[in-house]
Amino acid sequence: PEAATVERWREDFPILHRRVYGRPLIYLDNAATTQKPRQVIEALTEFYENRNANVHRGAHALSTEATDCFETARVTVARWIHAASEKEVLWTRGTTEAINLVAQAWGNAFVKEGDLLVATQMEHHANLVPWQMLARRSGAELALVPVRDDGTLDRERYRQLLERRPRLVALAHVSNTLGTINPVAELIAEAKAVGATVLIDGAQAVGHFPVDVQALGCDFYAFSGHKMLGPTGIGVLWGRQEVLEAMPPWQGGGEMIAWVDEHGFAPNELPYKFEAGTPPIAEAIALGAAIDYLRQFDRAQLAAWETHLYRRLRDGLAAIDGLRLLADLPPEGKAPIASFHVAGTHPADLGTLLDTQGIAVRVGHHCTMPLIARYGLPGTVRASIAFYNNASDIDQTLSALSRALERLGAPAP
Ligand code: PMP
């Protein structure tokens, strides 16, 4: 795109106008959460100013309108990920809650002592700790597919684990620390061939490229609204209908029941069976608005721009002495996330020095402690790009980084 086009995109994001320590904000922490376009912010206020009511309950106009908007957002999500039906779209608080739902409702029902669960060494703690907890309470074994030096999965080791016919395979579509895009369609097909149930953590994928859950062939797909321009507090668990039907409900309460008497209850139909309590109504509607917003773009053009910026960043980083960029894969084949470590520095010091220049990056283990340990690092600096970043964001970050390294490398007075 032309620079003017990118500047027009940026106009949709009010926060990009603010200053930090007197300098214009340079936001390169998009893998942690994306910024929100005006259209999403307005969807939240529009709901509270004009339609606020609880859903599925009231016999009044506001409640009917709120319910319509809320259920329309569910249909928007279903179409966007190509679900067979909106009944397969469950609202959750985010990816973390979606995965915990599966680990508890599905895991407690179907995982037995001696079963094998397979995840990978690059998982976010959200797609690791729930399985560790399930393994502990069920007596199942959890095995992790190793990550190779280049930031890709060890496919040979994966195949060996599949020979043991695991009950579950849980893996990230895109690594939040490395930016590696896993070949999930192939990995899913291999796992389905041995009868495993497959969950994909799509938290870092949905913001960058289109996802088709039916084409992927997995059983569950989890993601968060706030990483794809939507608000916090809303996420999605997509589940294949027959798998969701076979699962017992998760949390108990209002909404998830068909009836209750003094002795028991019958669960509601999908998707409400898994939605106990008042849902995040405004947030779900605003996630629908985020999807409507994204849909007006040619997503390939957005992705190409992100790749262009990532390449610019990567080329600049490559010129820095002692800098190690993790998963230095061809930029076209990875998400625009640069995780690096500079010998002799601590990531936290670099993060602080960049922050004083108004540059927001993330430092540390990025909720992937086993992965960071595997690389033998104390942590990394992670710069993650979104389509509303511009070339100046990258250039200024690279020069601020050089200045920071000079300061850190300067001999003590
Ligand atoms: N998985 C991945 C790959 C992530 O990047 C994140 C967020 N950093 C999560 C899971 C957890 O998402 P949330 O905090 O929105 O539940």
PDB file of all heavy atoms in Angstrom, residues 13-49:
ATOM      1  N   PHE A  13      -7.502   4.532  14.463  1.00  0.00           N
ATOM      2  CA  PHE A  13      -7.060   4.084  15.791  1.00  0.00           C
ATOM      3  C   PHE A  13      -6.697   5.293  16.654  1.00  0.00           C
ATOM      4  O   PHE A  13      -5.561   5.777  16.613  1.00  0.00           O
ATOM      5  CB  PHE A  13      -5.871   3.121  15.648  1.00  0.00           C
ATOM      6  CG  PHE A  13      -6.243   1.833  14.964  1.00  0.00           C
ATOM      7  CD1 PHE A  13      -6.349   1.772  13.578  1.00  0.00           C
ATOM      8  CD2 PHE A  13      -6.525   0.695  15.709  1.00  0.00           C
ATOM      9  CE1 PHE A  13      -6.734   0.598  12.942  1.00  0.00           C
ATOM     10  CE2 PHE A  13      -6.906  -0.482  15.080  1.00  0.00           C
ATOM     11  CZ  PHE A  13      -7.010  -0.530  13.693  1.00  0.00           C
ATOM     12  N   PRO A  14      -7.662   5.771  17.444  1.00  0.00           N
ATOM     13  CA  PRO A  14      -7.438   7.017  18.188  1.00  0.00           C
ATOM     14  C   PRO A  14      -6.192   6.979  19.066  1.00  0.00           C
ATOM     15  O   PRO A  14      -5.499   7.998  19.200  1.00  0.00           O
ATOM     16  CB  PRO A  14      -8.701   7.138  19.060  1.00  0.00           C
ATOM     17  CG  PRO A  14      -9.730   6.267  18.405  1.00  0.00           C
ATOM     18  CD  PRO A  14      -8.993   5.205  17.665  1.00  0.00           C
ATOM     19  N   ILE A  15      -5.870   5.846  19.623  1.00  0.00           N
ATOM     20  CA  ILE A  15      -4.761   5.788  20.585  1.00  0.00           C
ATOM     21  C   ILE A  15      -3.418   6.099  19.922  1.00  0.00           C
ATOM     22  O   ILE A  15      -2.474   6.539  20.593  1.00  0.00           O
ATOM     23  CB  ILE A  15      -4.721   4.414  21.305  1.00  0.00           C
ATOM     24  CG1 ILE A  15      -4.103   4.553  22.702  1.00  0.00           C
ATOM     25  CG2 ILE A  15      -3.980   3.382  20.481  1.00  0.00           C
ATOM     26  CD1 ILE A  15      -4.273   3.316  23.571  1.00  0.00           C
ATOM     27  N   LEU A  16      -3.343   5.891  18.601  1.00  0.00           N
ATOM     28  CA  LEU A  16      -2.073   6.139  17.917  1.00  0.00           C
ATOM     29  C   LEU A  16      -1.719   7.625  17.902  1.00  0.00           C
ATOM     30  O   LEU A  16      -0.603   8.002  17.551  1.00  0.00           O
ATOM     31  CB  LEU A  16      -2.112   5.580  16.482  1.00  0.00           C
ATOM     32  CG  LEU A  16      -2.317   4.060  16.386  1.00  0.00           C
ATOM     33  CD1 LEU A  16      -2.345   3.617  14.923  1.00  0.00           C
ATOM     34  CD2 LEU A  16      -1.233   3.291  17.152  1.00  0.00           C
ATOM     35  N   HIS A  17      -2.670   8.478  18.328  1.00  0.00           N
ATOM     36  CA  HIS A  17      -2.383   9.909  18.409  1.00  0.00           C
ATOM     37  C   HIS A  17      -1.744  10.313  19.728  1.00  0.00           C
ATOM     38  O   HIS A  17      -1.303  11.440  19.873  1.00  0.00           O
ATOM     39  CB  HIS A  17      -3.669  10.721  18.241  1.00  0.00           C
ATOM     40  CG  HIS A  17      -4.230  10.646  16.865  1.00  0.00           C
ATOM     41  ND1 HIS A  17      -3.541  11.108  15.774  1.00  0.00           N
ATOM     42  CD2 HIS A  17      -5.387  10.141  16.391  1.00  0.00           C
ATOM     43  CE1 HIS A  17      -4.257  10.895  14.689  1.00  0.00           C
ATOM     44  NE2 HIS A  17      -5.377  10.304  15.043  1.00  0.00           N
ATOM     45  N   ARG A  18      -1.748   9.394  20.699  1.00  0.00           N
ATOM     46  CA  ARG A  18      -1.284   9.893  21.999  1.00  0.00           C
ATOM     47  C   ARG A  18       0.240   9.879  22.104  1.00  0.00           C
ATOM     48  O   ARG A  18       0.941   9.255  21.313  1.00  0.00           O
ATOM     49  CB  ARG A  18      -1.952   9.141  23.158  1.00  0.00           C
ATOM     50  CG  ARG A  18      -1.460   7.762  23.412  1.00  0.00           C
ATOM     51  CD  ARG A  18      -1.721   7.415  24.871  1.00  0.00           C
ATOM     52  NE  ARG A  18      -0.702   8.000  25.734  1.00  0.00           N
ATOM     53  CZ  ARG A  18      -0.631   7.807  27.037  1.00  0.00           C
ATOM     54  NH1 ARG A  18      -1.555   7.108  27.654  1.00  0.00           N
ATOM     55  NH2 ARG A  18       0.355   8.330  27.734  1.00  0.00           N
ATOM     56  N   ARG A  19       0.711  10.607  23.079  1.00  0.00           N
ATOM     57  CA  ARG A  19       2.148  10.674  23.314  1.00  0.00           C
ATOM     58  C   ARG A  19       2.474   9.967  24.610  1.00  0.00           C
ATOM     59  O   ARG A  19       1.649   9.902  25.524  1.00  0.00           O
ATOM     60  CB  ARG A  19       2.599  12.139  23.357  1.00  0.00           C
ATOM     61  CG  ARG A  19       2.346  12.854  22.034  1.00  0.00           C
ATOM     62  CD  ARG A  19       2.655  14.322  22.096  1.00  0.00           C
ATOM     63  NE  ARG A  19       4.057  14.615  21.808  1.00  0.00           N
ATOM     64  CZ  ARG A  19       4.558  14.711  20.580  1.00  0.00           C
ATOM     65  NH1 ARG A  19       3.786  14.518  19.532  1.00  0.00           N
ATOM     66  NH2 ARG A  19       5.827  14.993  20.403  1.00  0.00           N
ATOM     67  N   VAL A  20       3.694   9.426  24.655  1.00  0.00           N
ATOM     68  CA  VAL A  20       4.172   8.744  25.852  1.00  0.00           C
ATOM     69  C   VAL A  20       5.503   9.391  26.222  1.00  0.00           C
ATOM     70  O   VAL A  20       6.406   9.440  25.384  1.00  0.00           O
ATOM     71  CB  VAL A  20       4.360   7.234  25.583  1.00  0.00           C
ATOM     72  CG1 VAL A  20       4.980   6.548  26.786  1.00  0.00           C
ATOM     73  CG2 VAL A  20       3.023   6.585  25.239  1.00  0.00           C
ATOM     74  N   TYR A  21       5.609   9.894  27.444  1.00  0.00           N
ATOM     75  CA  TYR A  21       6.789  10.661  27.856  1.00  0.00           C
ATOM     76  C   TYR A  21       7.103  11.752  26.835  1.00  0.00           C
ATOM     77  O   TYR A  21       8.252  11.974  26.462  1.00  0.00           O
ATOM     78  CB  TYR A  21       8.023   9.759  28.027  1.00  0.00           C
ATOM     79  CG  TYR A  21       7.802   8.567  28.912  1.00  0.00           C
ATOM     80  CD1 TYR A  21       8.022   7.282  28.433  1.00  0.00           C
ATOM     81  CD2 TYR A  21       7.361   8.706  30.232  1.00  0.00           C
ATOM     82  CE1 TYR A  21       7.811   6.173  29.235  1.00  0.00           C
ATOM     83  CE2 TYR A  21       7.131   7.601  31.039  1.00  0.00           C
ATOM     84  CZ  TYR A  21       7.363   6.338  30.537  1.00  0.00           C
ATOM     85  OH  TYR A  21       7.143   5.245  31.316  1.00  0.00           O
ATOM     86  N   GLY A  22       6.049  12.365  26.326  1.00  0.00           N
ATOM     87  CA  GLY A  22       6.245  13.479  25.403  1.00  0.00           C
ATOM     88  C   GLY A  22       6.582  13.078  23.972  1.00  0.00           C
ATOM     89  O   GLY A  22       6.776  13.940  23.117  1.00  0.00           O
ATOM     90  N   ARG A  23       6.675  11.782  23.724  1.00  0.00           N
ATOM     91  CA  ARG A  23       6.988  11.346  22.351  1.00  0.00           C
ATOM     92  C   ARG A  23       5.796  10.610  21.757  1.00  0.00           C
ATOM     93  O   ARG A  23       5.028   9.992  22.493  1.00  0.00           O
ATOM     94  CB  ARG A  23       8.170  10.370  22.366  1.00  0.00           C
ATOM     95  CG  ARG A  23       9.465  11.036  22.724  1.00  0.00           C
ATOM     96  CD  ARG A  23      10.457   9.971  23.154  1.00  0.00           C
ATOM     97  NE  ARG A  23      11.680  10.608  23.607  1.00  0.00           N
ATOM     98  CZ  ARG A  23      12.679  10.942  22.793  1.00  0.00           C
ATOM     99  NH1 ARG A  23      12.611  10.695  21.510  1.00  0.00           N
ATOM    100  NH2 ARG A  23      13.753  11.523  23.282  1.00  0.00           N
ATOM    101  N   PRO A  24       5.668  10.621  20.439  1.00  0.00           N
ATOM    102  CA  PRO A  24       4.547   9.883  19.828  1.00  0.00           C
ATOM    103  C   PRO A  24       4.655   8.388  20.162  1.00  0.00           C
ATOM    104  O   PRO A  24       5.747   7.825  20.130  1.00  0.00           O
ATOM    105  CB  PRO A  24       4.742  10.105  18.324  1.00  0.00           C
ATOM    106  CG  PRO A  24       5.727  11.208  18.187  1.00  0.00           C
ATOM    107  CD  PRO A  24       6.532  11.267  19.451  1.00  0.00           C
ATOM    108  N   LEU A  25       3.538   7.803  20.496  1.00  0.00           N
ATOM    109  CA  LEU A  25       3.519   6.375  20.825  1.00  0.00           C
ATOM    110  C   LEU A  25       3.913   5.536  19.608  1.00  0.00           C
ATOM    111  O   LEU A  25       3.402   5.745  18.499  1.00  0.00           O
ATOM    112  CB  LEU A  25       2.107   5.970  21.257  1.00  0.00           C
ATOM    113  CG  LEU A  25       1.825   4.466  21.354  1.00  0.00           C
ATOM    114  CD1 LEU A  25       2.627   3.829  22.497  1.00  0.00           C
ATOM    115  CD2 LEU A  25       0.331   4.203  21.560  1.00  0.00           C
ATOM    116  N   ILE A  26       4.838   4.598  19.843  1.00  0.00           N
ATOM    117  CA  ILE A  26       5.147   3.581  18.827  1.00  0.00           C
ATOM    118  C   ILE A  26       4.760   2.250  19.439  1.00  0.00           C
ATOM    119  O   ILE A  26       5.396   1.779  20.386  1.00  0.00           O
ATOM    120  CB  ILE A  26       6.642   3.617  18.450  1.00  0.00           C
ATOM    121  CG1 ILE A  26       6.942   4.954  17.752  1.00  0.00           C
ATOM    122  CG2 ILE A  26       6.998   2.431  17.564  1.00  0.00           C
ATOM    123  CD1 ILE A  26       8.391   5.146  17.387  1.00  0.00           C
ATOM    124  N   TYR A  27       3.690   1.686  18.932  1.00  0.00           N
ATOM    125  CA  TYR A  27       3.123   0.503  19.585  1.00  0.00           C
ATOM    126  C   TYR A  27       3.527  -0.756  18.827  1.00  0.00           C
ATOM    127  O   TYR A  27       3.023  -1.038  17.735  1.00  0.00           O
ATOM    128  CB  TYR A  27       1.595   0.625  19.662  1.00  0.00           C
ATOM    129  CG  TYR A  27       0.986  -0.468  20.497  1.00  0.00           C
ATOM    130  CD1 TYR A  27       1.070  -0.437  21.888  1.00  0.00           C
ATOM    131  CD2 TYR A  27       0.348  -1.557  19.898  1.00  0.00           C
ATOM    132  CE1 TYR A  27       0.536  -1.454  22.670  1.00  0.00           C
ATOM    133  CE2 TYR A  27      -0.190  -2.571  20.669  1.00  0.00           C
ATOM    134  CZ  TYR A  27      -0.094  -2.509  22.049  1.00  0.00           C
ATOM    135  OH  TYR A  27      -0.634  -3.522  22.821  1.00  0.00           O
ATOM    136  N   LEU A  28       4.441  -1.498  19.430  1.00  0.00           N
ATOM    137  CA  LEU A  28       4.903  -2.756  18.825  1.00  0.00           C
ATOM    138  C   LEU A  28       4.699  -3.914  19.809  1.00  0.00           C
ATOM    139  O   LEU A  28       5.537  -4.796  19.935  1.00  0.00           O
ATOM    140  CB  LEU A  28       6.376  -2.632  18.416  1.00  0.00           C
ATOM    141  CG  LEU A  28       6.617  -1.734  17.195  1.00  0.00           C
ATOM    142  CD1 LEU A  28       8.115  -1.523  16.968  1.00  0.00           C
ATOM    143  CD2 LEU A  28       5.982  -2.327  15.936  1.00  0.00           C
ATOM    144  N   ASP A  29       3.564  -3.866  20.505  1.00  0.00           N
ATOM    145  CA  ASP A  29       3.204  -4.959  21.421  1.00  0.00           C
ATOM    146  C   ASP A  29       1.872  -5.568  21.005  1.00  0.00           C
ATOM    147  O   ASP A  29       1.022  -5.880  21.833  1.00  0.00           O
ATOM    148  CB  ASP A  29       3.143  -4.421  22.864  1.00  0.00           C
ATOM    149  CG  ASP A  29       3.182  -5.551  23.888  1.00  0.00           C
ATOM    150  OD1 ASP A  29       3.553  -6.688  23.514  1.00  0.00           O
ATOM    151  OD2 ASP A  29       2.827  -5.298  25.051  1.00  0.00           O
ATOM    152  N   ASN A  30       1.723  -5.717  19.702  1.00  0.00           N
ATOM    153  CA  ASN A  30       0.440  -6.163  19.162  1.00  0.00           C
ATOM    154  C   ASN A  30       0.125  -7.627  19.423  1.00  0.00           C
ATOM    155  O   ASN A  30      -1.031  -8.023  19.375  1.00  0.00           O
ATOM    156  CB  ASN A  30       0.404  -5.882  17.655  1.00  0.00           C
ATOM    157  CG  ASN A  30       0.432  -4.393  17.382  1.00  0.00           C
ATOM    158  OD1 ASN A  30      -0.550  -3.713  17.621  1.00  0.00           O
ATOM    159  ND2 ASN A  30       1.570  -3.877  16.919  1.00  0.00           N
ATOM    160  N   ALA A  31       1.159  -8.432  19.710  1.00  0.00           N
ATOM    161  CA  ALA A  31       0.885  -9.832  20.039  1.00  0.00           C
ATOM    162  C   ALA A  31       0.281  -9.942  21.435  1.00  0.00           C
ATOM    163  O   ALA A  31      -0.407 -10.911  21.752  1.00  0.00           O
ATOM    164  CB  ALA A  31       2.157 -10.670  19.933  1.00  0.00           C
ATOM    165  N   ALA A  32       0.539  -8.949  22.286  1.00  0.00           N
ATOM    166  CA  ALA A  32      -0.070  -8.963  23.630  1.00  0.00           C
ATOM    167  C   ALA A  32      -1.527  -8.542  23.536  1.00  0.00           C
ATOM    168  O   ALA A  32      -2.415  -9.205  24.068  1.00  0.00           O
ATOM    169  CB  ALA A  32       0.699  -8.045  24.574  1.00  0.00           C
ATOM    170  N   THR A  33      -1.765  -7.432  22.871  1.00  0.00           N
ATOM    171  CA  THR A  33      -3.133  -7.041  22.540  1.00  0.00           C
ATOM    172  C   THR A  33      -3.057  -6.000  21.432  1.00  0.00           C
ATOM    173  O   THR A  33      -2.106  -5.210  21.381  1.00  0.00           O
ATOM    174  CB  THR A  33      -3.903  -6.506  23.773  1.00  0.00           C
ATOM    175  OG1 THR A  33      -5.306  -6.540  23.482  1.00  0.00           O
ATOM    176  CG2 THR A  33      -3.514  -5.094  24.158  1.00  0.00           C
ATOM    177  N   THR A  34      -4.031  -6.020  20.548  1.00  0.00           N
ATOM    178  CA  THR A  34      -4.045  -5.032  19.476  1.00  0.00           C
ATOM    179  C   THR A  34      -4.764  -3.773  19.950  1.00  0.00           C
ATOM    180  O   THR A  34      -5.539  -3.807  20.904  1.00  0.00           O
ATOM    181  CB  THR A  34      -4.809  -5.549  18.247  1.00  0.00           C
ATOM    182  OG1 THR A  34      -6.118  -5.931  18.676  1.00  0.00           O
ATOM    183  CG2 THR A  34      -4.103  -6.735  17.613  1.00  0.00           C
ATOM    184  N   GLN A  35      -4.514  -2.676  19.260  1.00  0.00           N
ATOM    185  CA  GLN A  35      -5.283  -1.467  19.516  1.00  0.00           C
ATOM    186  C   GLN A  35      -6.655  -1.587  18.840  1.00  0.00           C
ATOM    187  O   GLN A  35      -6.882  -2.507  18.056  1.00  0.00           O
ATOM    188  CB  GLN A  35      -4.500  -0.246  19.040  1.00  0.00           C
ATOM    189  CG  GLN A  35      -3.201  -0.050  19.825  1.00  0.00           C
ATOM    190  CD  GLN A  35      -3.446   0.081  21.343  1.00  0.00           C
ATOM    191  OE1 GLN A  35      -4.570   0.295  21.804  1.00  0.00           O
ATOM    192  NE2 GLN A  35      -2.388  -0.074  22.134  1.00  0.00           N
ATOM    193  N   LYS A  36      -7.550  -0.671  19.230  1.00  0.00           N
ATOM    194  CA  LYS A  36      -8.944  -0.787  18.782  1.00  0.00           C
ATOM    195  C   LYS A  36      -9.314   0.362  17.846  1.00  0.00           C
ATOM    196  O   LYS A  36      -9.094   1.531  18.183  1.00  0.00           O
ATOM    197  CB  LYS A  36      -9.911  -0.743  19.967  1.00  0.00           C
ATOM    198  CG  LYS A  36      -9.469  -1.527  21.198  1.00  0.00           C
ATOM    199  CD  LYS A  36      -9.153  -2.983  20.914  1.00  0.00           C
ATOM    200  CE  LYS A  36      -8.504  -3.637  22.128  1.00  0.00           C
ATOM    201  NZ  LYS A  36      -7.857  -4.924  21.795  1.00  0.00           N
ATOM    202  N   PRO A  37      -9.913   0.031  16.716  1.00  0.00           N
ATOM    203  CA  PRO A  37     -10.386   1.099  15.845  1.00  0.00           C
ATOM    204  C   PRO A  37     -11.626   1.767  16.449  1.00  0.00           C
ATOM    205  O   PRO A  37     -12.346   1.159  17.247  1.00  0.00           O
ATOM    206  CB  PRO A  37     -10.733   0.375  14.544  1.00  0.00           C
ATOM    207  CG  PRO A  37     -11.042  -1.015  14.954  1.00  0.00           C
ATOM    208  CD  PRO A  37     -10.195  -1.300  16.168  1.00  0.00           C
ATOM    209  N   ARG A  38     -11.845   2.994  16.043  1.00  0.00           N
ATOM    210  CA  ARG A  38     -13.010   3.768  16.486  1.00  0.00           C
ATOM    211  C   ARG A  38     -14.307   2.970  16.329  1.00  0.00           C
ATOM    212  O   ARG A  38     -15.190   3.043  17.190  1.00  0.00           O
ATOM    213  CB  ARG A  38     -13.072   5.017  15.597  1.00  0.00           C
ATOM    214  CG  ARG A  38     -13.835   6.182  16.104  1.00  0.00           C
ATOM    215  CD  ARG A  38     -13.824   7.303  15.059  1.00  0.00           C
ATOM    216  NE  ARG A  38     -12.472   7.722  14.667  1.00  0.00           N
ATOM    217  CZ  ARG A  38     -11.697   8.499  15.429  1.00  0.00           C
ATOM    218  NH1 ARG A  38     -12.130   8.928  16.580  1.00  0.00           N
ATOM    219  NH2 ARG A  38     -10.483   8.828  15.025  1.00  0.00           N
ATOM    220  N   GLN A  39     -14.411   2.189  15.253  1.00  0.00           N
ATOM    221  CA  GLN A  39     -15.645   1.439  14.999  1.00  0.00           C
ATOM    222  C   GLN A  39     -15.954   0.457  16.133  1.00  0.00           C
ATOM    223  O   GLN A  39     -17.118   0.204  16.447  1.00  0.00           O
ATOM    224  CB  GLN A  39     -15.522   0.674  13.666  1.00  0.00           C
ATOM    225  CG  GLN A  39     -15.496   1.569  12.416  1.00  0.00           C
ATOM    226  CD  GLN A  39     -14.134   2.215  12.129  1.00  0.00           C
ATOM    227  OE1 GLN A  39     -13.229   2.265  12.970  1.00  0.00           O
ATOM    228  NE2 GLN A  39     -13.986   2.735  10.929  1.00  0.00           N
ATOM    229  N   VAL A  40     -14.907  -0.105  16.732  1.00  0.00           N
ATOM    230  CA  VAL A  40     -15.108  -1.059  17.830  1.00  0.00           C
ATOM    231  C   VAL A  40     -15.458  -0.302  19.122  1.00  0.00           C
ATOM    232  O   VAL A  40     -16.362  -0.695  19.873  1.00  0.00           O
ATOM    233  CB  VAL A  40     -13.841  -1.933  18.015  1.00  0.00           C
ATOM    234  CG1 VAL A  40     -13.869  -2.707  19.319  1.00  0.00           C
ATOM    235  CG2 VAL A  40     -13.698  -2.876  16.823  1.00  0.00           C
ATOM    236  N   ILE A  41     -14.763   0.795  19.354  1.00  0.00           N
ATOM    237  CA  ILE A  41     -15.031   1.609  20.548  1.00  0.00           C
ATOM    238  C   ILE A  41     -16.467   2.137  20.487  1.00  0.00           C
ATOM    239  O   ILE A  41     -17.206   2.111  21.485  1.00  0.00           O
ATOM    240  CB  ILE A  41     -14.009   2.762  20.633  1.00  0.00           C
ATOM    241  CG1 ILE A  41     -12.587   2.197  20.724  1.00  0.00           C
ATOM    242  CG2 ILE A  41     -14.316   3.678  21.817  1.00  0.00           C
ATOM    243  CD1 ILE A  41     -11.483   3.208  20.446  1.00  0.00           C
ATOM    244  N   GLU A  42     -16.875   2.550  19.290  1.00  0.00           N
ATOM    245  CA  GLU A  42     -18.245   3.065  19.133  1.00  0.00           C
ATOM    246  C   GLU A  42     -19.287   1.968  19.311  1.00  0.00           C
ATOM    247  O   GLU A  42     -20.385   2.231  19.816  1.00  0.00           O
ATOM    248  CB  GLU A  42     -18.406   3.734  17.754  1.00  0.00           C
ATOM    249  CG  GLU A  42     -17.822   5.138  17.753  1.00  0.00           C
ATOM    250  CD  GLU A  42     -17.716   5.753  16.360  1.00  0.00           C
ATOM    251  OE1 GLU A  42     -18.166   5.126  15.377  1.00  0.00           O
ATOM    252  OE2 GLU A  42     -17.152   6.868  16.262  1.00  0.00           O
ATOM    253  N   ALA A  43     -18.968   0.749  18.930  1.00  0.00           N
ATOM    254  CA  ALA A  43     -19.931  -0.353  19.126  1.00  0.00           C
ATOM    255  C   ALA A  43     -20.194  -0.564  20.614  1.00  0.00           C
ATOM    256  O   ALA A  43     -21.323  -0.854  21.024  1.00  0.00           O
ATOM    257  CB  ALA A  43     -19.407  -1.637  18.473  1.00  0.00           C
ATOM    258  N   LEU A  44     -19.145  -0.396  21.426  1.00  0.00           N
ATOM    259  CA  LEU A  44     -19.315  -0.547  22.884  1.00  0.00           C
ATOM    260  C   LEU A  44     -20.200   0.567  23.433  1.00  0.00           C
ATOM    261  O   LEU A  44     -21.166   0.300  24.170  1.00  0.00           O
ATOM    262  CB  LEU A  44     -17.954  -0.510  23.591  1.00  0.00           C
ATOM    263  CG  LEU A  44     -17.046  -1.721  23.398  1.00  0.00           C
ATOM    264  CD1 LEU A  44     -15.641  -1.403  23.909  1.00  0.00           C
ATOM    265  CD2 LEU A  44     -17.597  -2.942  24.117  1.00  0.00           C
ATOM    266  N   THR A  45     -19.906   1.796  23.070  1.00  0.00           N
ATOM    267  CA  THR A  45     -20.704   2.893  23.633  1.00  0.00           C
ATOM    268  C   THR A  45     -22.112   2.872  23.053  1.00  0.00           C
ATOM    269  O   THR A  45     -23.076   3.141  23.762  1.00  0.00           O
ATOM    270  CB  THR A  45     -20.050   4.273  23.389  1.00  0.00           C
ATOM    271  OG1 THR A  45     -19.652   4.344  22.037  1.00  0.00           O
ATOM    272  CG2 THR A  45     -18.842   4.490  24.263  1.00  0.00           C
ATOM    273  N   GLU A  46     -22.244   2.536  21.791  1.00  0.00           N
ATOM    274  CA  GLU A  46     -23.584   2.475  21.179  1.00  0.00           C
ATOM    275  C   GLU A  46     -24.457   1.493  21.959  1.00  0.00           C
ATOM    276  O   GLU A  46     -25.629   1.769  22.249  1.00  0.00           O
ATOM    277  CB  GLU A  46     -23.470   2.054  19.710  1.00  0.00           C
ATOM    278  CG  GLU A  46     -24.680   2.386  18.851  1.00  0.00           C
ATOM    279  CD  GLU A  46     -25.854   1.433  19.007  1.00  0.00           C
ATOM    280  OE1 GLU A  46     -25.654   0.265  19.402  1.00  0.00           O
ATOM    281  OE2 GLU A  46     -26.994   1.855  18.743  1.00  0.00           O
ATOM    282  N   PHE A  47     -23.887   0.350  22.313  1.00  0.00           N
ATOM    283  CA  PHE A  47     -24.670  -0.634  23.060  1.00  0.00           C
ATOM    284  C   PHE A  47     -25.116  -0.070  24.405  1.00  0.00           C
ATOM    285  O   PHE A  47     -26.294  -0.134  24.761  1.00  0.00           O
ATOM    286  CB  PHE A  47     -23.866  -1.925  23.266  1.00  0.00           C
ATOM    287  CG  PHE A  47     -24.608  -2.923  24.116  1.00  0.00           C
ATOM    288  CD1 PHE A  47     -25.640  -3.679  23.586  1.00  0.00           C
ATOM    289  CD2 PHE A  47     -24.302  -3.078  25.465  1.00  0.00           C
ATOM    290  CE1 PHE A  47     -26.352  -4.575  24.373  1.00  0.00           C
ATOM    291  CE2 PHE A  47     -25.003  -3.973  26.255  1.00  0.00           C
ATOM    292  CZ  PHE A  47     -26.031  -4.728  25.713  1.00  0.00           C
ATOM    293  N   TYR A  48     -24.161   0.508  25.141  1.00  0.00           N
ATOM    294  CA  TYR A  48     -24.525   0.982  26.479  1.00  0.00           C
ATOM    295  C   TYR A  48     -25.423   2.209  26.438  1.00  0.00           C
ATOM    296  O   TYR A  48     -26.244   2.413  27.323  1.00  0.00           O
ATOM    297  CB  TYR A  48     -23.262   1.247  27.317  1.00  0.00           C
ATOM    298  CG  TYR A  48     -22.610  -0.039  27.781  1.00  0.00           C
ATOM    299  CD1 TYR A  48     -21.311  -0.364  27.421  1.00  0.00           C
ATOM    300  CD2 TYR A  48     -23.315  -0.945  28.577  1.00  0.00           C
ATOM    301  CE1 TYR A  48     -20.722  -1.543  27.838  1.00  0.00           C
ATOM    302  CE2 TYR A  48     -22.738  -2.138  29.000  1.00  0.00           C
ATOM    303  CZ  TYR A  48     -21.431  -2.434  28.627  1.00  0.00           C
ATOM    304  OH  TYR A  48     -20.863  -3.605  29.039  1.00  0.00           O
ATOM    305  N   GLU A  49     -25.284   3.024  25.387  1.00  0.00           N
ATOM    306  CA  GLU A  49     -26.130   4.227  25.320  1.00  0.00           C
ATOM    307  C   GLU A  49     -27.539   3.933  24.823  1.00  0.00           C
ATOM    308  O   GLU A  49     -28.478   4.629  25.189  1.00  0.00           O
ATOM    309  CB  GLU A  49     -25.470   5.277  24.412  1.00  0.00           C
ATOM    310  CG  GLU A  49     -24.264   5.921  25.084  1.00  0.00           C
ATOM    311  CD  GLU A  49     -23.590   6.992  24.246  1.00  0.00           C
ATOM    312  OE1 GLU A  49     -24.023   7.229  23.097  1.00  0.00           O
ATOM    313  OE2 GLU A  49     -22.615   7.564  24.751  1.00  0.00           O
TER     314      GLU A  49
END
